Amino acid sequence: MLDTLRRIIQEVNRAPDLSRALEVIVARLKQAMAVDVCSVYLVDSDAQQYVMMATDGYHPSVVGQVRLEFGQGLVGEVVRREEPLNLDNASDHPSYIFSRQIDEEIYHGFLGVPIIQHRMVLGVLVVRQRERRRFAEEEETFLFTLGAQLAGAISHAEANGDIDRLLRESDEARYALKGASGTPGAAVGRAHVVYPQANLEAIPDHPVEDVEAEIASFHAAVAAVERDMRIISARMVDTLSSEEIALFDALILMLRSETLVDSTVEGIRAGNWAPGALRKTIDEHVSAFEKMDDLYLRERAGDVRDLGRRIIEHLQSSHPTAHAYVPGTILVGEEVSASQLAEVPANMLVAVVSARGSSASHVAILARALGIPAVMGIDDLPVNRLEGQELVVDGYQARLFVRPSEAVRREFQRLQREEAELSDELQELAALPAETPDGTVIPLYANTGLLADISASLRCGAEGVGLYRTEVPFLIRDRFPGEEEQRRTYRQVLEAFAPAPVTVRTLDIGGDKMLPYFPVHEDNPFLGWRGIRISLDHPEIFLAQVRAILRANIGLNNLQLLLPMVSNVTEVDSALGLIHRAHHELCDEEEGGEMPRVGVMIEVPSTVYQIPALAQRVDFFSIGTNDLTQYLMAVDRNNAQVAALYDTLHPAVLRAIHQVVREAHAAARPVSVCGEMAGDPAAALLLLAMGVDSLSMSAASLLRVKWAIRTFPLTKIHQLFEEIQELEDGASVRALLHRSLDEAGLGGLIRAGR
Ligand code: PEP
Ligand code: MG
C-alpha cells in the first residue's frame, strides 16, 4: 500500500497541471482499490457548489457538469463531518440523493474522504462499487492519506490559478495568494526573485540576452564540475571503496550525457537563462529516476540534484550577482533574508514577499522599519514563475495579487494615496510630545538598524533611539567589519540624535539573523547559539564591538548599551566584566569617554523572574516583546504554519510585561518596550497603562502611536486595562482594544495596527 501511495503521489507531483494530476489520481486509485468508479469533487466557494472535476468510471462528459449545492448529498455529508464516510449501500443514507447524470442507482458501495488543508475542506475523494461493499479500515486510511497529500497539490494549483481556470473555463491568468501574516501597507511594483545560492528549486526563469554567451558559460560550468569531480574522486581513492568511486565515474558520465547538456542548451536557445534551463532539465531527470522500479536507480535522483547544484554554483560565480535594481522593486523569495533585503537600495524597494516567515521575522521587521509592506508565509508561492511579474502587495490582509486586474491595481493605488494623505496629516504631530489629554508624557524612540532609517526617524520626531540593532550593518557585509569601520557606523547614529539618547544593542546574531560569513548549523537556531551567547563565546568579537561603540560615544555621551538574549545573571556579570575591561583599555589610551548606562533585554522568560537580581547589576530594562512572545508561547516567530498562534496581546504576555514593570520600578529601574508591540497603537496604550517608561518602534509606526496617545486620557486607558485584565485570550483583548479605538475615532489606526 505504502509503495502504491508513494508512486501515486510522485506521479501527481509531476503532473503539469491540476486537471492532469486529478486524472492520474482517479485512474490509479480505481486500479489500486479495485473499484468501479473513482471521482474527485472540488469545492467552488464562489458558486457555493461541489463540482466533479475528474472521474474514472463515469462517462468523461460529466466532468465539470455534475454539481451539488453546498451541504447536499453524500459529498456534502463528508464535507460537513470532515471525516470519511464508508457505506455498504449508499442509498440507505438519509443524505443520499439520486443523480441521473451519473446513473447513481447502479452503485451501492461508497467511500468518501475529505481533502483538507489548513483546516479547510478543499474537496472530496470518492470511490464507488456496483456491489455492496464495506471498505476495510486500511482502504479508508489509504484514501484518507492520499486525500491529505492531494490537498497540497490542490492548494498549489489553486495558487496557480488552475482551479479558477478549470471551474470557470476562463484563461484569465491573475490570482491572489494568501499569506499567513503581513505588515501594514500596500504596494504596486514588479517582482525581483532572490534565492539562496545553489537552491535549485527556487531558481526563477529569466530571459536571456546573449544566447551564445549563455551557452558558453553553461559548457564552462559543466567542464568545471567535471574537473571538480575528478579531483574529488582522485583524493578519495584511498578512503572510499571501489564501488563508491565508481559512483563518481557514473556522475561524470551523467554530466557528459547528451540529454543533460542538450536539453539545457535547448532551453537556453528557447530564451531562458542557463540556471533556469538547467533547473528544468534537472527536474525532468529527477522525475525520470524517481519513476524507476529499482530502488538503487530511484536513489540516483539525489545524485542528479547534487550535480545540478554543483553546476549552478559554477554558473553563479560566472553570473555576477550584483543586480541593477529599478524603482518599484518587490523582493520575492522562498525565504527572503534580512541581508538580501538590506542589499536593495531603500529608494528602489516597495515591498517584500516571502514564502516562509511571519510578520515577526526580522526581514518583516526591517520592512516595517523602511515603511514598506511585507506579506509573509505564502506557502504556495510559485517563486520561480514570478520574476518580472507585476504584483500588488496587500500587507494589511496578507495578500498578493499576481498580474492584477486594472480594478485591483486602481484600488490599491487609491489605498496608497490615502495612506500618504494620512501620513501627511500625522506629520503635523511630529513636533508635538506624546502626551495624553490628561497630561501624561511618554518618550517615543525609534528602532533603527539601517542608516537609511535615521532620517525617517528624525522626520517623525523620534526623541532618540530605543533600539539600534547593530547586527544589521554586520548582515550587509561579506565579512566582519573592523573596529574602526564599526566605530564610524555607530558614530553616525549617535551623532544624528545627540544629545538625545541612543541605545546601542550589542550583536544579536543567530536565530534568523545568520551572517553569511559566519554560518552556524543548528536544529533549533532560536533555542541555540544566539545574541549574548555568541558574544561571550567570542570575546574577541564582543570586545572589538564594545570598543568601537565606546569610541563612537566620545564627546557625545548619549550612549546606552543594551545586552540581547540574556537568560542568566552570570551572562550579565561576564558581559559587564568585558565592557569594563574595554572601557579601562580605552581610558589607558585616553579614548575612554564616559562609561555608559548598561541595560538588559527582557526577552527570554527566565529573566522575567529575575528582575531584582538583574536590577542590582544594570541601569535599565528593555522588553523585547518579539522574542518574549515567541519563547513564552513556544511559537516560532518565523514559522508561517503557527503564525496565527503568535500573539503579543495574549494575556500571559501582558502579565509578564506588567510583572517586569512592577518589579523594575520597585528597584527604581526604568523599563522600555522595543519589540514590535510598541508600534501597534492599540497595544501601546496598554503598555502606557502598565507604567512602561518609554516606547521604541519603527519610524513608520511612531506618528500613529503618538496620535493614539494624544487622543486617549490616561484615566480612560486605565479603565480599559482593568477590563482587559479580566479577559482570557488574545483575540478578546484585541477586539476590545479595537472597539475602543474605533469609538474614539481612531479607526484608521486599526487597519494598520497589527
Ligand atoms: C525583540 O525580541 O522584541 C527585539 C526587539 O529584538 P529582535 O526583534 O531584534 O530579536
Ligand atoms: Mg529579540
Side-chain angles (χ1 to χ4, degrees):
M1 275 287 193
L2 200 61
D3 207 38
T4 316
L5 193 69
R6 198 179 51 77
R7 279 156 164 279
I8 297 182
I9 290 164
Q10 272 177 5
E11 222 179 315
V12 166
N13 286 343
R14 273 197 307 272
D17 52 40
L18 181 66
S19 84
R20 181 73 200 122
L22 297 182
E23 280 168 20
V24 167
I25 291 243
V26 289
R28 298 292 171 273
L29 263 179
K30 177 169 174 256
Q31 193 184 17
M33 294 182 74
V35 287
D36 295 317
V37 182
C38 176
S39 331
V40 183
Y41 291 79
L42 293 187
V43 172
D44 179 353
S45 338
D46 291 342
Q48 301 263 304
Q49 287 175 331
Y50 314 120
V51 190
M52 188 194 284
M53 299 304 297
T55 184
D56 190 343
Y58 298 134
H59 194 273
S61 65
V62 301
V63 168
Q65 301 304 314
V66 176
R67 287 173 174 261
L68 293 160
E69 298 305 317
F70 267 14
Q72 261 194 355
L74 296 177
V75 170
E77 184 66 14
V78 175
V79 173
R80 189 187 62 74
R81 291 157 47 120
E82 299 183 352
E83 276 190 51
L85 185 63
N86 186 352
L87 305 169
D88 60 353
N89 188 20
S91 59
D92 288 348
H93 194 280
S95 296
Y96 170 83
I97 42 174
F98 169 74
S99 163
R100 197 179 308 283
Q101 275 167 310
I102 51 177
D103 226 353
E104 182 103 57
E105 69 196 349
I106 15 177
Y107 299 97
H108 295 287
F110 175 100
L111 173 60
V113 302
I115 303 168
I116 301 180
Q117 171 98 328
H118 297 317
R119 302 188 194 179
M120 291 262 298
V121 182
L122 305 178
V124 178
L125 252 177
V126 178
V127 292
R128 303 296 308 266
Q129 193 79 30
R130 284 205 173 79
E131 302 78 50
R132 286 175 175 248
R133 172 171 171 183
R134 162 75 63 174
F135 289 91
E137 199 173 287
E138 308 87 80
E139 290 172 314
E140 213 178 278
T141 50
F142 173 72
L143 201 61
F144 194 71
T145 318
L146 198 68
Q149 297 282 345
L150 187 58
I154 292 178
S155 64
H156 195 80
E158 202 165 35
N160 293 344
D162 280 355
I163 288 195
D164 270 354
R165 248 199 304 271
L166 284 171
L167 292 175
R168 266 168 273 293
E169 293 171 339
S170 120
D171 59 4
E172 260 189 313
R174 42 177 111 104
Y175 45 92
L177 302 176
K178 188 85 187 87
S181 55
T183 72
V188 181
R190 290 215 174 260
H192 169 59
V193 176
V194 287
Y195 54 94
Q197 295 260 322
N199 178 353
L200 271 179
E201 293 74 21
I203 292 174
D205 289 336
H206 210 311
V208 64
E209 275 164 23
D210 186 343
V211 168
E212 291 311 320
E214 197 68 9
I215 292 174
S217 71
F218 171 64
H219 281 302
V222 172
V225 173
E226 186 175 336
R227 224 172 21 245
D228 291 352
M229 305 291 280
R230 290 199 188 286
I231 295 171
I232 302 173
S233 128
R235 207 187 299 141
M236 295 289 181
V237 263
D238 297 332
T239 29
L240 293 183
S241 69
S242 54
E243 215 171 281
E244 284 161 323
I245 291 288
L247 253 182
F248 276 101
D249 297 336
L251 284 179
I252 292 172
L253 278 181
M254 219 185 267
L255 258 184
R256 290 197 179 155
S257 77
E258 290 190 348
T259 46
L260 193 139
V261 175
D262 289 357
S263 67
T264 307
V265 169
E266 216 171 276
I268 300 173
R269 287 205 191 285
N272 204 352
W273 69 328
L278 179 66
R279 187 203 73 234
K280 279 204 181 121
T281 307
I282 297 290
D283 266 0
E284 284 159 15
H285 275 62
V286 165
S287 43
F289 274 104
E290 278 176 351
K291 243 191 259 169
M292 297 188 177
D293 280 327
D294 184 285
L295 179 67
Y296 175 83
L297 286 176
R298 274 208 306 269
E299 284 180 351
R300 301 286 65 78
D303 296 335
V304 177
R305 246 187 239 113
D306 180 53
L307 266 188
R309 282 197 197 102
R310 286 170 188 274
I311 302 173
I312 288 291
E313 264 167 36
H314 280 281
L315 274 176
Q316 272 167 341
S317 52
S318 65
H319 278 87
T321 46
H323 179 83
Y325 292 100
V326 291
T329 293
I330 296 177
L331 213 54
V332 176
E334 200 58 51
E335 188 161 22
V336 178
S337 70
S339 51
Q340 284 166 336
L341 183 144
E343 244 169 50
V344 190
N347 55 347
M348 302 287 175
L349 191 64
V350 295
V352 177
V353 176
S354 181
R356 306 239 192 91
S358 77
S359 62
S361 303
H362 280 96
V363 68
I365 292 176
L366 279 180
R368 206 175 285 131
L370 294 171
I372 60 171
V375 173
M376 310 291 293
I378 308 182
D379 30 346
D380 297 309
L381 193 66
V383 172
N384 55 29
R385 309 221 316 253
L386 291 181
E387 179 67 28
Q389 298 284 356
E390 187 181 30
L391 305 178
V392 161
V393 176
D394 171 8
Y396 299 116
Q397 297 196 39
R399 283 185 305 176
L400 173 71
F401 297 86
V402 180
R403 273 174 277 155
S405 63
E406 186 51 37
V408 168
R409 189 188 308 112
R410 230 179 303 126
E411 176 64 14
F412 280 87
Q413 279 164 344
R414 184 186 58 77
L415 201 63
Q416 269 179 311
R417 260 196 318 278
E418 277 177 16
E419 275 288 299
E421 278 160 22
L422 178 63
S423 305
D424 286 347
E425 266 175 51
L426 288 172
Q427 199 56 44
E428 290 166 17
L429 300 180
L432 301 173
E435 182 176 3
T436 61
D438 48 358
T440 298
V441 181
I442 182 165
L444 300 188
Y445 297 130
N447 289 353
T448 66
L450 296 165
L451 289 177
D453 46 37
I454 293 182
S455 55
S457 311
L458 289 168
R459 229 182 6 257
C460 59
E463 296 162 76
V465 172
L467 171 65
Y468 172 33
R469 292 183 166 99
T470 58
E471 55 279 1
V472 180
F474 279 68
L475 281 169
I476 53 182
R477 288 183 166 70
D478 51 10
R479 57 180 169 76
F480 275 108
E483 187 175 319
E484 177 52 22
E485 204 176 346
Q486 288 187 51
R487 186 199 67 81
R488 279 201 301 270
T489 312
Y490 305 146
R491 180 77 183 183
Q492 277 176 282
V493 186
L494 286 159
E495 235 166 20
F497 287 89
V502 172
T503 307
V504 178
R505 185 174 72 180
T506 62
L507 206 53
D508 183 24
I509 48 174
D512 63 346
K513 290 179 286 194
M514 267 330 154
L515 300 180
Y517 47 90
F518 188 68
V520 178
H521 299 288
E522 295 174 301
D523 285 344
N524 286 307
F526 274 112
L527 299 183
W529 210 37
R530 199 191 150 186
I532 197 78
R533 302 171 184 180
I534 296 186
S535 293
L536 293 178
D537 287 348
H538 278 282
E540 77 289 5
I541 299 176
F542 187 62
L543 282 168
Q545 182 180 37
V546 171
R547 273 199 306 268
I549 300 171
L550 294 177
R551 286 174 51 220
N553 185 40
I554 291 173
L556 297 174
N557 294 325
N558 57 338
L559 166 73
Q560 305 201 96
L561 263 181
L562 182 60
L563 305 173
M565 272 301 289
V566 166
S567 53
N568 278 301
V569 291
T570 48
E571 288 164 336
V572 179
D573 291 336
S574 309
L576 284 171
L578 290 169
I579 294 167
H580 282 118
R581 184 175 133 195
H583 187 242
H584 286 145
E585 282 169 11
L586 291 176
C587 286
D588 289 345
E589 297 162 21
E590 296 186 347
E591 275 203 296
E594 276 179 30
M595 176 66 193
R597 283 156 40 92
V598 179
V600 160
M601 292 278 296
I602 303 298
E603 52 185 348
V604 178
S606 63
T607 52
V608 171
Y609 305 101
Q610 293 208 286
I611 297 296
L614 289 165
Q616 286 174 17
R617 293 164 167 84
V618 294
D619 306 300
F620 67 95
F621 297 111
S622 190
I623 305 180
T625 48
N626 306 335
D627 278 315
L628 186 60
T629 307
Q630 140 163 288
Y631 294 126
L632 208 51
M633 301 197 54
V635 177
D636 180 346
R637 62 193 269 185
N638 247 342
N639 183 342
Q641 193 76 19
V642 290
L645 292 174
Y646 182 96
D647 191 356
T648 48
L649 292 178
H650 189 285
V653 179
L654 300 182
R655 261 175 228 164
I657 298 171
H658 199 194
Q659 175 170 330
V660 170
V661 177
R662 279 197 310 260
E663 296 201 0
H665 285 176
R669 296 288 181 269
V671 180
S672 164
V673 172
C674 66
E676 294 304 293
M677 182 183 184
D680 172 350
L685 295 179
L686 281 188
L687 297 172
L688 198 62
M690 291 185 209
V692 167
D693 301 284
S694 60
L695 299 174
S696 190
M697 64 205 73
S698 62
S701 311
L702 205 137
L703 292 172
R704 294 170 187 278
V705 169
K706 195 182 276 188
W707 187 20
I709 291 173
R710 291 181 61 86
T711 306
F712 267 83
L714 191 65
T715 45
K716 178 111 183 275
I717 303 174
H718 274 302
Q719 274 168 18
L720 195 59
F721 184 50
E722 289 297 313
E723 273 182 68
I724 276 172
Q725 280 176 292
E726 301 297 316
L727 300 178
E728 293 174 344
D729 66 285
S732 317
V733 173
R734 178 162 287 103
L736 179 54
L737 279 172
H738 283 182
R739 209 165 47 242
S740 311
L741 249 63
D742 214 12
E743 283 165 8
L746 297 179
L749 293 184
I750 297 173
R751 198 175 56 187
R754 256 199 105 171

